Amino acid sequence: MIKEINIDDLDLIKELENNFSFVLKDIVLDMQNNPFSHYVIYREKEKVVGYINYYLMYEKGEIANFNVLDDYQNKGIGNKLIDYVINQLNGKVDNITLEVRCDNDKAIKLYEKKNFIKVSKRVGYYEGVDGILMEKKMNKDIYILGIESSCDETSFSIVKNGCEEIATVISSQIDIHKDYGGVVPEIASRNHVKNVTFVLDECLKKAKMTMDEIDMIAISYGPGLIGSLLVGLETAKTLSWLYHKPLIPVHHIAGHIYANNLVKKMEFPLLALVISGGHTELVYMEKHYSFQKLGGTLDDALGECYDKVGKVINVDYPAGPTVDRLAHIGNVSYQLPMPLNDNSYNFSFSGLKSAVINLVHNEEQKGNSINKEDLCASFQNVVVETLSKKTLKALNEMDIKNFVIAGGVSANKGIREKLKYLCEARGINYTFPDIKYCTDNAAMIATAGYFAYLDGRRADFTLNAESNLELK
Ligand code: KG4
Ligand code: ZN
């Protein structure tokens, strides 16, 4: 039980003194002479097992002292005491500060979870051991600079409070890679290096902001092409070091999912169908920044399959948008197999891709021409059916009230139409990302970064790029 005590609670003050080696007269004196000082205790079975002493000084708050008895640690008591203070100070102060020993990892982690940020070092503050000044900004807008460079787009974006886009710049290398029929990793990383400073500059100009006005930096550090990821990551670390801004690690797919929050605030429990050039998966989210993968592709990603199907009918890379357009003109007339038609949440697209390629080659050998529109319509029809089947399974079996799609392929008209129909028929709320933010961009990374920040996620300069990063 939490209780804020005052000068009349002499018994409790005495117990505080006994349990935490306080000097009784000091607390009493402090209470009598310092109108800013507040003491809050935590009692379990009538025993004072934790306390927090905080100051409320006009527009500033400070946590001065905080302790929980050894035997009562790891039970969430510290958590509750800090939450109590944050609630008390909410709406009254601009910020809450505190000092912590630099080697007290446990406390630092707890404060970071509550969104305190390291501000500066106080050398030798604790009898020779450095102290760290931490600050939690209250009622303040948070501006996050997002950085995305996992594949062939170099992008920077500034998003306010995880929902309001201030400025985004995307430099695409599609024209460079088109000639090779796909992204060439080495060329992609070299171009990121060439572009990165210009794109950052343009983004800040577009936002009419300086780096000093940015609160933190969100970086898409995986999955993706390792060389490409490293360019963005090194840029993020350099900016973080130079301007003393916290670094927030963001999973690229979390970014795709959070592109939806720029359209409408995401609500939970939520199902996300992620369909991109590198991923195809169903993800369940019970709350913000909590991801549970229900199933995924066993082989090719859907975007990859679209690109290969496009290639065999001579459509330029990336072929998805053209195949989608042709599919709307044509009729379903070619017989194609329904992939992985089972009762799992998994997908498989390599069989479907091979079936399309074989069909085209066989017809060519026979000297028959292919009706590209009909082939695209037939292919897309099977894609839509398999996506709907697995999505429906999740919607029927789980407690899901909200649905989103994410990733480059979520721009697909045919897929959108069918999924919209499915959700409407079941009374499920759905959001689809803006077409311009379906493919890779930094607005989605800055948006996801805000919720990663609220979830207490932070990175230091040891953060490494991970080409096969798991979503968790
Ligand atoms: O999400 P994204 O930019 O890259 C990854 O993170 O993987 O997705 C790119 C993929 C490409 O394969 C592209 O062909 C596909 O998205 N795509 C589409 C459409 N627009 C883009 N696929 C089908 N229909 C579309 N309209
Ligand atoms: Zn992507």
Side-chain angles (χ1 to χ4, degrees):
M1 193 196 84
I2 286 182
K3 179 177 161 64
E4 185 144 354
I5 54 173
N6 59 41
I7 200 89
D8 300 327
D9 298 306
L10 269 181
D11 287 352
L12 292 170
I13 294 176
K14 208 175 178 102
E15 213 190 320
L16 249 188
E17 174 203 52
N18 287 339
N19 297 354
F20 294 96
S21 340
F22 265 110
V23 182
L24 178 64
K25 72 173 184 351
D26 281 355
I27 298 184
V28 174
L29 270 180
D30 190 36
M31 282 180 172
Q32 277 172 341
N33 299 322
N34 186 351
F36 303 129
S37 189
H38 298 258
Y39 288 84
V40 181
I41 57 162
Y42 192 94
R43 281 212 290 174
E44 203 166 286
K45 294 195 185 118
E46 301 299 304
K47 182 176 176 188
V48 177
V49 297
Y51 78 95
I52 197 160
N53 170 216
Y54 72 95
Y55 298 158
L56 167 56
M57 296 163 291
Y58 307 105
E59 77 290 355
K60 285 192 186 309
E62 186 178 334
I63 293 177
N65 256 303
F66 163 48
N67 209 346
V68 176
L69 292 178
D70 283 350
D71 289 349
Y72 292 84
Q73 292 197 0
N74 302 321
K75 290 177 158 189
I77 295 173
N79 213 39
K80 286 184 193 153
L81 284 166
I82 294 180
D83 281 346
Y84 176 88
V85 174
I86 292 171
N87 279 333
Q88 285 301 304
L89 297 181
N90 195 18
K92 296 181 190 143
V93 298
D94 294 342
N95 62 6
I96 306 175
T97 54
L98 57 88
E99 277 115 10
V100 56
R101 272 174 70 115
C102 69
D103 54 3
N104 192 349
D105 292 338
K106 210 166 136 194
I108 292 173
K109 270 226 153 64
L110 176 60
Y111 294 136
E112 284 188 334
K113 211 125 199 105
K114 302 292 169 195
N115 294 316
F116 282 81
I117 287 169
K118 292 176 185 168
V119 177
S120 60
K121 199 195 271 183
R122 299 197 158 165
V123 179
Y125 191 83
Y126 294 97
E127 290 158 355
V129 179
D130 293 348
I132 293 176
L133 175 69
M134 298 185 82
E135 178 188 26
K136 177 182 169 69
K137 298 216 160 93
M138 306 283 282
N139 308 321
K140 186 200 168 292
D141 291 328
I142 303 282
Y143 291 87
I144 299 192
L145 174 73
I147 305 179
E148 163 61 42
S149 71
S150 66
C151 190
D152 58 341
E153 269 90 19
T154 320
S155 179
F156 285 78
S157 174
I158 297 165
V159 172
K160 180 174 146 188
N161 300 333
C163 60
E164 193 182 320
E165 185 198 4
I166 306 296
T168 303
V169 179
I170 307 170
S171 162
S172 169
Q173 305 175 16
I174 282 181
D175 285 342
I176 301 169
H177 298 281
K178 210 158 66 182
D179 296 342
Y180 303 94
V183 177
V184 185
E186 175 66 20
I187 297 179
S189 15
R190 279 167 191 260
N191 278 285
H192 284 307
V193 173
K194 236 162 80 182
N195 293 339
V196 84
T197 44
F198 297 107
V199 181
L200 167 64
D201 216 35
E202 202 181 320
C203 178
L204 288 169
K205 273 195 193 122
K206 201 168 163 188
K208 298 193 177 67
M209 289 177 79
T210 64
M211 275 307 295
D212 290 331
E213 292 167 286
I214 300 292
D215 293 294
M216 48 197 81
I217 296 164
I219 174 68
S220 157
Y221 73 110
L225 302 172
I226 196 73
S228 292
L229 288 166
L230 282 170
V231 180
L233 179 60
E234 286 311 306
T235 311
K237 284 187 194 174
T238 309
L239 291 171
S240 160
W241 175 76
L242 196 59
Y243 296 99
H244 307 287
K245 308 290 178 190
L247 196 58
I248 314 293
V250 171
H251 191 287
H252 178 78
I253 294 302
H256 274 302
I257 294 173
Y258 272 94
N260 287 287
N261 207 65
L262 289 167
V263 178
K264 203 172 107 208
K265 293 211 166 135
M266 284 158 63
E267 287 178 34
F268 304 91
L270 174 149
L271 178 73
L273 173 65
V274 180
I275 37 180
S276 77
H279 292 261
T280 308
E281 48 204 51
L282 277 165
V283 178
Y284 173 76
M285 291 177 75
E286 192 196 345
K287 55 182 182 61
H288 269 304
Y289 232 78
S290 130
F291 308 98
Q292 187 196 336
K293 183 173 158 182
L294 301 180
T297 181
L298 303 178
D299 38 61
D300 292 356
L302 185 53
E304 198 181 338
C305 183
Y306 263 91
D307 293 337
K308 297 276 166 55
V309 164
K311 199 169 176 179
V312 78
I313 53 167
N314 298 319
V315 172
D316 271 351
Y317 170 84
T322 311
V323 172
D324 186 15
R325 188 173 53 76
L326 296 176
H328 276 79
I329 305 169
N331 295 308
V332 178
S333 60
Y334 291 100
Q335 274 282 324
L336 291 167
M338 175 85 166
L340 204 66
N341 197 2
D342 67 354
N343 200 30
S344 75
Y345 286 123
N346 291 327
F347 301 95
S348 162
F349 291 105
S350 81
L352 176 61
K353 172 190 75 183
S354 304
V356 173
I357 295 172
N358 290 340
L359 192 150
V360 173
H361 288 166
N362 286 341
E363 292 300 305
E364 274 171 3
Q365 270 167 8
K366 285 187 214 154
N368 297 337
S369 65
I370 282 281
N371 182 319
K372 288 185 185 179
E373 290 82 3
D374 285 0
L375 182 68
C376 290
S378 309
F379 163 71
Q380 186 145 304
N381 179 50
V382 175
V383 167
V384 169
E385 280 312 304
T386 183
L387 292 180
S388 310
K389 183 174 174 201
K390 303 293 165 104
T391 303
L392 251 182
K393 177 177 156 65
L395 293 180
N396 287 338
E397 290 177 1
M398 301 184 71
D399 173 32
I400 292 163
K401 309 245 169 359
N402 308 279
F403 176 71
V404 301
I405 46 176
V409 188
S410 68
N412 186 282
K413 251 171 72 190
I415 296 173
R416 284 184 174 225
E417 276 163 16
K418 181 66 188 272
L419 293 172
K420 177 171 177 262
Y421 167 78
L422 283 187
C423 288
E424 279 174 354
R426 277 163 190 75
I428 295 201
N429 303 318
Y430 62 90
T431 311
F432 299 156
D434 233 14
I435 297 290
K436 66 176 187 290
Y437 294 144
C438 285
T439 42
D440 294 349
N441 66 85
M444 67 185 199
I445 302 300
T447 304
Y450 178 77
F451 294 95
Y453 153 71
L454 291 183
D455 194 49
R457 303 199 186 205
R458 305 286 182 277
D460 58 22
F461 297 139
T462 61
L463 182 70
N464 211 347
E466 287 185 46
S467 50
N468 293 314
L469 186 66
E470 281 284 318
L471 179 62
K472 48 183 192 287

